[in-house]
Amino acid sequence: MTGQPGSSPPPVPATGLDVPPCRGLTIGTSLHASNVVDDGYTLATWAFGRGGQEAMVVGGEDQVTTFFFEMAGDKSLPLKAVFLNSTHPDVSGEVIRPVLSGSLSQSPTTVDNSTAELSVDYRCTPHGGNSILWVTVIVDKDVAKSVCQRDSGGDLTIHFLWHKFCPKARAKRKGLAVGTLPGTGNVVMDGEVLSSWEVGTQSVEVSASMASTTFYVSVTDGTTEAMAPPQLQGTFEGKLHAVVGGPGSHGGTLGEEPLVFTVNYFCAPSSRPSQSTMTVVLLLCNSSKPGEQCSSDQTKYEPVTFQWTKNCIADPGMSGLTSFLAVVFVLSVLACGLGCVYKWQYQGARGMEIVPFIDTLRKCVYDFTDFLTLGRRSRETVRYKQAYMSEEDALAEAGEVQGGYSVDASLDDDDVLQVPQGGGYGTLN
């Protein structure tokens, strides 16, 4: 949640060791990093009381800062509350209008060994100036005692602070066009970001089936302009990895021929669908080396910032039944392979005979084929007898006659057949 802008930071010592530690709790500005908080201790550059050059300063080109919270091992740390406060002591008007997002933006929440995120979208106003922001993390005293193994006598409180610089609004670059198709300005037209792509609107959504989005940047007034490498920022919620590629990913010279860069998406497997906010910042530089990085205070035009949302579908992996069948299949293949080796090595089998239970398999195939064949022959025989034979002839053909005995059609005229006669047997020639 966000605190009230304009309030003052609490008076906390500048040692960086101002709160009881929570072993295993790390906070960083990148995945698995601990450059902000390590084992519950706030590092010096993020601690209160650090002024001037020692304080952490976020430049004007950064529109979003994301903090990654993680708890080592198999422990889970419930957080009672997470607050963001900001102040701008040197400016009378608002400098920023920060908005929190990410899994930690709603309290209460929990941090475990899967990364949790807290993203700060600064949303600088045209006034420009410097702001001070600080995050307060509160852990219930009972949780701190059981999970952090630290009895602080009260709730465990962790603070970290930094400065954000917002440049004053500058002129927009007329003639600048950005589009998702060549020759279009459906993202930026004549230096103005279209309303659907403006920061905070999140009107444009990229479907889960799209693996990338390509942007074409150009100037349409016959002049040229130098552009720094596009900066990709966003709230990825640990569910998405995005990379900028293409020939324009290193910056270059803008002209009527568009400079092309592509944002490639890599969705992580998840049991639930997810959305990630993507932000691109384009800086038009004064540098004579177009591909060289430059900061926003070195540009002669207002940085161009546009935003959209990327959807990722649920990918829960294999179901229980699928997993079971996969295990059965693997074990069956393994057993078959071992059986083949055994029959070949110890029983001298060769060819198809090395297959385990080959006789049983052959019998099954034969019985099944015979069943299908007999069924067809039986239907053909019935139709033939109905059409051409009397009932008596049909019975005789089948080897059955009235009188208590049967005739084998395979006997020749000279063969003798024993037939029942009264209580004994006679012969029939």
Side-chain angles (χ1 to χ4, degrees), residues 74-91:
D74 56 356
K75 295 186 296 183
S76 294
L77 180 66
L79 302 182
K80 188 175 181 179
V82 179
F83 294 93
L84 172 70
N85 289 89
S86 63
T87 185
H88 33 81
D90 302 328
V91 182

Side-chain angles (χ1 to χ4, degrees), residues 192-249:
E192 296 282 350
V193 179
L194 274 64
S195 59
S196 58
W197 291 84
E198 286 182 346
V199 173
T201 60
Q202 297 180 343
S203 300
V204 178
E205 293 190 6
V206 176
S207 67
S209 60
M210 294 186 64
S212 63
T213 302
T214 300
F215 296 96
Y216 300 82
V217 188
S218 61
V219 288
T220 59
D221 56 4
T223 62
T224 60
E225 204 69 65
M227 187 186 80
Q231 299 179 14
L232 177 64
Q233 306 167 13
T235 305
F236 301 149
E237 295 295 324
K239 307 299 182 185
L240 174 70
H241 180 59
V243 178
V244 179
S249 61

Side-chain angles (χ1 to χ4, degrees), residues 386-405:
Q386 289 176 344
Y388 299 105
M389 301 177 64
S390 65
E391 181 178 354
E392 182 177 355
D393 291 338
L395 291 173
E397 177 67 19
E400 300 177 355
V401 297
Q402 302 289 336
Y405 64 89

